[in-house]
Amino acid sequence: MGDLTAPVRARPRTTAYDVVVRPRRSLVRSTILSVVFSAVPLAVALVWVSLPLPLWPVVSAVVIAVGVLVGVVFVRLGTAFIGLDPGCVTVRGVVTPNRRICRDRVHALVLATTYGSAVERTSRELVALDADGAHLFRLRADVWGDDGLDRVVEALGVGVSDDVRPVSAREFARRYPASRAWYEQRTAHVVLGAVAVVVVAGLLVVETNGLVGT
């Protein structure tokens, strides 16, 4: 008789990283507190107020959709990391696609200090470039922390251009346009604006029809 036992498949080996960087604990803590003390009461209030109105199913659907998105962000926030092994750099972001880049491709690093609407509120950013100057990945200190960026720089051990003079986020995007995330693209702003207009217009139409019908 033949062997009736099923062959046991070997489990894939997990990658052993020399350096692992996680998102800042304060970022995780502030995100949780913001959702618990701001988003949840607001969502409950919106659903409660809309119950007597004919548009409560729409409001409830929007609240549920937003809740699902928040849940996805929480999962990504809990599993996000930067891992460096002898051959590659793995970047698992919060709202950006996962990336795995060979360390041999990282030719230069750029450390810059950027600011948004207020010059006093600055943040460091790290951009990795290949030998042709093409963008490989970008890390923000407000997500990974200053110490996390320093650890990545030290582990990669390539040339670093450190510009200590703060530049605006717009100027930084102009210098390195390929480093902009999907939510920083002009197309994303247009799409989000159009969706907001459609939602508001739909709610006004529903509300108007409800008032007219009463």
Side-chain angles (χ1 to χ4, degrees):
M1 297 178 63
D3 189 1
L4 299 180
T5 58
V8 179
R9 294 185 178 180
R11 294 183 179 179
R13 297 174 58 188
T14 57
T15 304
Y17 297 107
D18 299 326
V19 176
V20 176
V21 178
R22 300 282 183 180
R24 296 184 301 116
R25 291 184 178 181
S26 58
L27 175 64
V28 179
R29 189 185 311 113
S30 62
T31 302
I32 294 176
L33 292 177
S34 298
V35 172
V36 172
F37 291 104
S38 300
V40 172
L42 179 60
V44 173
L46 286 175
V47 174
W48 181 263
V49 171
S50 64
L51 284 177
L53 303 176
L55 52 81
W56 73 266
V58 178
V59 176
S60 301
V62 172
V63 170
I64 292 174
V66 173
V68 171
L69 291 176
V70 171
V72 172
V73 171
F74 270 139
V75 172
R76 295 284 295 186
L77 190 59
T79 58
F81 72 94
I82 303 168
L84 286 85
D85 58 51
C88 294
V89 179
T90 301
V91 181
R92 182 181 176 90
V94 180
V95 294
T96 55
N98 300 339
R99 307 195 66 180
R100 186 170 173 83
I101 302 100
C102 293
R103 293 180 64 162
D104 294 341
R105 295 184 58 195
V106 182
H107 181 72
L109 299 173
V110 176
L111 270 174
T113 303
T114 62
Y115 61 88
S117 57
V119 182
E120 294 79 11
R121 300 185 60 180
T122 60
S123 177
R124 295 173 71 203
E125 304 204 27
L126 174 66
V127 175
L129 307 173
D130 64 10
D132 298 325
H135 169 263
L136 296 176
F137 61 86
R138 170 187 175 191
L139 306 176
R140 299 168 177 264
D142 54 2
V143 175
W144 305 105
D146 290 322
D147 179 67
L149 266 60
D150 293 336
R151 291 174 61 194
V152 172
V153 170
E154 181 180 359
L156 288 175
V158 298
V160 182
S161 174
D162 192 352
D163 190 355
V164 296
R165 296 174 300 176
V167 297
S168 65
R170 180 175 299 181
E171 174 63 20
F172 182 81
R174 187 188 66 81
R175 294 182 184 179
Y176 309 100
S179 68
R180 289 184 294 182
W182 63 267
Y183 53 84
E184 296 175 318
Q185 302 288 340
R186 183 173 300 177
T187 304
H189 296 165
V190 173
V191 171
L192 291 177
V195 171
V197 170
V198 170
V199 171
V200 173
L203 292 176
L204 290 176
V205 170
V206 173
E207 181 66 16
T208 302
N209 291 336
L211 292 176
V212 171
T214 56

